[in-house]
Amino acid sequence: MTSILDAKHQLLHDRTGGGAAADLVLGLLTTARMIDTACAALLNEYGLSEGRLAVLLAVAEIPGSTPARIADRIGVTRATITGLTDGLVTAGLLSRGTDQRDRRSLTLHITTAGQQLIDALAPQYASWLTDIVRGVARDDTSATITTLAAMQRNLTAIP
């Protein structure tokens, strides 16, 4: 079963003695890395990263939000959000404004170009997601989602 592992994870597998838990977790890590690499390549075609896309989607969802609110929404630091929004503003995908209630605060707004980019990317991204799970039975997909949820619960319980 270890044929689903990349070289790094195979080394870890061999060192830990393997077993079903190692097969599952290390196989998941290998797969996640492959998905991240493919996702980065897809988004790069649009001049985006996953972080920039998350900001763009969050601002589209909550127009006029402050950078702090967007940072909280997507789970990044305020320093990170500054760099992400700077790049999106420079690219013409977001604009900054002034909060009418507190003129010291900035607000973020998606531009027409930003919305057009989301509209162009969304169907291609949806198709890409479908391609990744092609050949996986619906029951297997459901079982995998249940398994991932259990693993996430276990991870939050581990100190």
Side-chain angles (χ1 to χ4, degrees), residues 87-100:
L88 291 166
V89 168
T90 299
L93 303 173
L94 288 183
S95 65
R96 289 189 181 101
T98 305
D99 189 324
Q100 298 301 329

Side-chain angles (χ1 to χ4, degrees), residues 59 63-68 85 89 94-111:
V59 173
S65 291
T66 64
T85 56
V89 168
L94 288 183
S95 65
R96 289 189 181 101
T98 305
D99 189 324
Q100 298 301 329
R101 292 163 287 178
D102 180 359
R103 294 192 310 189
R104 295 170 297 166
S105 289
L106 294 176
T107 57
L108 298 171
H109 304 272
I110 192 161
T111 63

Side-chain angles (χ1 to χ4, degrees), residues 46 53 57 116-129:
Y46 292 88
L53 177 61
L57 293 170
Q116 288 172 342
L117 181 60
I118 290 172
D119 294 344
L121 176 59
Q124 186 175 355
Y125 201 87
S127 177
W128 176 75
L129 292 171

Side-chain angles (χ1 to χ4, degrees), residues 26-59:
L26 296 174
L28 179 59
L29 288 170
T30 297
T31 305
R33 184 196 51 76
M34 292 171 68
I35 292 170
D36 277 345
T37 299
C39 182
L42 172 65
L43 294 177
N44 190 50
E45 293 177 28
Y46 292 88
L48 294 173
S49 63
E50 283 187 81
R52 283 185 174 186
L53 177 61
V55 172
L56 200 59
L57 293 170
V59 173

